[in-house]
Amino acid sequence: MEKRVMTDGKRRKGLMAASALLGGVLVLSACSGGDGDSAASGSGEKTQQQADEAAAKKTSEADIRIAPKDGSDNASINNAAKVTVSKGTLTDVKMTTADGTAVAGQIAPDKKTWKPTSQLARATTYRIAAVAKDGDGRAAHENSQFTTVSPANSFIGNFTPEDGSTVGVGMPVSINFDKAITNKSDVQSHITVSSSSGQQVVGHWFGANRLDFRPEDYWKGGSTVTLKLDLDGVEGANGVTGVQQKTISFKVGRNQVSTVDAKTKTMTVTHDGKVVKTIPISAGSPENKTYEGQMVISEKFKETRMNGATVGFTDDDGKGEYDIKDVPHAMRLSNSGTFIHGNYWGAKSIFGSVNTSHGCVGLSDAKGANDSSTPGAWFYDNSMVGDVVIVKNTGDKTVQPDNGLNGWNLSWADWKAGSAA
């Protein structure tokens, strides 16, 4: 057998290799969390804890909340957008549309809230980026995006009269909705109309799209009427909600009521029950009688065109029986074409003596509407939208209450029966 002798050099190399292997095992044991050196393990945990604490000290305590919730759709265009912060103060809020158009807003004096300063648009995507700082000056950031309700899923009410206007005593509050309303009770309960006169005001539905309000008798002259629409989020029909949150007011002027008597062919104008003028008129002919009833002036035109074809008066060729392009001092009494207006083309002798019109009430006037001395000009100058014109003794039927602003032709009992409240 061959005898091998280990030299000192080989012995040293073997010891070094063993030492290296042992060291490798020790390192692996320490990293794997095994039964290694406890002192080394504790030192590692302490270092990680210190790192976490240091990171926490760098994080702002300011807590920013943005409404609506990120990703929301069908958001309100009135009150949905809002930024609030707790444990800090807002330093900057930017709101833009999806295309980058800036939306004006304002941080409250206490720097705790922010809101846009104007109503948002429907069917629009908005982005909000907010920054706040806590008491140690550390900044926090929050971002959100939402989309407002679409026109297809919302409704609005177009109302008359306008905010700040002065109208006659017969002017109802009339609201026309752009969607059919099936939840009439809910919608009406979020609309209030009140008068400084203390008169009871009741709503009446004409179909699914129109809601009018009036008192039992004409408004008191000099009173102020207030309309409040609180329809934001109110369901008008399945999947269709309101978006309006608005308060408007208008003033009622002097009490002017004018009575047209087709039999005597005169119109008597009263202020607060006292006669101020009697005017000769020419009403509808026996073949084209004027509607009877209480009518309200809804529009005024110094001059306007009247074409018979638009209201069914046509010749055999289909053209209008009349087409007058400069009718002076015209005031609308019904949606179907009833006006009280000046007439310059008829003989002066017809006024007060014969009814010749196609259904309107005519007053003597001058071409061009510039002669203030004519009866037509006087009545135009002394009338306002909302004044009442009562027409009687024509032999025709009473105008329908929804043909124009003519709900006064319903009794108070019938009017209240049309309320959904």
Side-chain angles (χ1 to χ4, degrees):
M1 177 181 291
E2 182 180 2
K3 185 177 181 180
R4 299 179 181 271
V5 179
M6 182 178 291
T7 64
D8 289 340
K10 290 182 177 179
R11 185 179 290 110
R12 286 195 298 271
K13 290 181 179 179
L15 290 172
M16 291 174 64
S19 177
L21 178 60
L22 180 59
V25 172
L26 288 173
V27 171
L28 287 173
S29 297
C31 290
S32 62
D35 296 331
D37 190 311
S38 61
S41 176
S43 177
E45 290 178 359
K46 184 176 181 181
T47 302
Q48 184 63 48
Q49 182 179 355
Q50 290 173 338
D52 291 343
E53 291 176 352
K57 289 180 180 179
K58 295 179 182 179
T59 301
S60 176
E61 292 185 350
D63 184 14
I64 303 172
R65 302 294 175 91
I66 300 178
K69 185 179 178 180
D70 187 32
S72 299
D73 57 12
N74 286 331
S76 167
I77 63 174
N78 295 291
N79 301 317
K82 185 177 182 181
V83 180
T84 59
V85 64
S86 58
K87 298 181 180 180
T89 56
L90 290 170
T91 58
D92 185 51
V93 179
K94 288 184 173 63
M95 184 176 186
T96 61
T97 60
D99 63 4
T101 303
V103 177
Q106 188 172 24
I107 296 176
D110 63 2
K111 298 184 179 180
K112 295 292 186 181
T113 60
W114 175 95
K115 290 181 180 181
T117 53
S118 61
Q119 189 181 65
L120 305 182
R122 288 190 286 180
T124 302
T125 298
Y126 291 95
R127 294 169 179 161
I128 296 179
V131 183
K133 288 184 178 181
D134 63 10
D136 293 328
R138 294 170 298 189
H141 299 261
E142 193 70 42
N143 295 275
S144 183
Q145 176 176 298
F146 66 92
T147 302
T148 52
V149 63
S150 69
N153 296 109
S154 61
F155 72 89
I156 62 171
N158 297 300
F159 56 85
T160 189
E162 295 181 0
D163 187 27
S165 60
T166 300
V167 298
V169 296
M171 187 69 187
V173 173
S174 185
I175 306 170
N176 286 274
F177 299 103
D178 64 349
K179 302 281 194 311
I181 303 300
T182 57
N183 298 329
K184 293 181 178 179
S185 179
D186 287 346
V187 170
Q188 186 175 336
S189 68
H190 285 82
I191 301 173
T192 58
V193 180
S194 59
S195 173
S196 62
S197 66
Q199 292 172 276
Q200 180 189 13
V201 184
V202 175
H204 181 98
W205 286 89
F206 292 111
N209 293 78
R210 178 176 167 183
L211 174 61
D212 284 15
F213 290 84
R214 71 165 175 91
E216 181 174 5
D217 299 312
Y218 302 142
W219 302 107
K220 299 296 183 184
S223 60
T224 298
V225 180
T226 300
L227 162 66
K228 183 177 182 180
L229 299 171
D230 190 18
L231 295 172
D232 188 38
V234 176
E235 188 174 61
N238 187 30
V240 180
T241 57
V243 296
Q244 286 170 298
Q245 187 170 308
K246 191 176 186 68
T247 299
I248 69 107
S249 63
F250 60 91
K251 187 171 182 179
V252 180
R254 74 288 176 274
N255 182 320
Q256 177 171 300
V257 177
S258 303
T259 302
V260 172
D261 188 335
K263 185 175 181 180
T264 63
K265 302 167 186 64
T266 58
M267 177 172 66
T268 304
V269 183
T270 64
H271 281 187
D272 299 320
K274 297 181 180 180
V275 177
V276 295
K277 198 171 185 67
T278 300
I279 302 173
I281 61 94
S282 179
S285 68
E287 298 77 23
N288 302 296
K289 299 182 180 72
T290 305
Y291 284 134
E292 293 189 357
Q294 303 174 73
M295 304 185 211
V296 174
I297 296 174
S298 58
E299 292 181 288
K300 292 180 64 181
F301 307 96
K302 186 174 181 180
E303 289 183 284
T304 192
R305 178 184 182 184
M306 291 188 178
N307 186 341
T310 63
V311 288
F313 293 111
T314 59
D315 292 325
D316 293 338
D317 60 4
K319 294 182 179 180
E321 291 182 13
Y322 58 87
D323 187 2
I324 305 170
K325 297 180 173 62
D326 57 352
V327 177
H329 300 124
M331 290 168 280
R332 181 183 293 278
L333 299 179
S334 78
N335 291 340
S336 60
T338 308
F339 280 77
I340 183 166
H341 61 79
N343 178 334
Y344 67 79
W345 53 90
K348 301 299 182 186
S349 59
I350 67 172
F351 302 102
S353 61
V354 60
N355 294 320
T356 61
S357 82
H358 284 77
C360 292
V361 176
L363 313 176
S364 180
D365 211 327
K367 185 178 177 63
N370 291 317
D371 186 349
S372 61
S373 67
T374 66
W378 182 92
F379 189 64
Y380 181 89
D381 292 340
N382 287 275
S383 297
M384 64 174 63
V385 169
D387 281 348
V388 179
V389 177
I390 300 173
V391 181
K392 63 181 185 180
N393 296 327
T394 69
D396 200 15
K397 61 184 179 182
T398 300
V399 65
Q400 289 296 307
D402 61 345
N403 185 0
L405 303 176
N406 299 325
W408 300 103
N409 294 290
L410 287 175
S411 69
W412 186 232
D414 288 341
W415 182 267
K416 291 191 294 184
S419 172

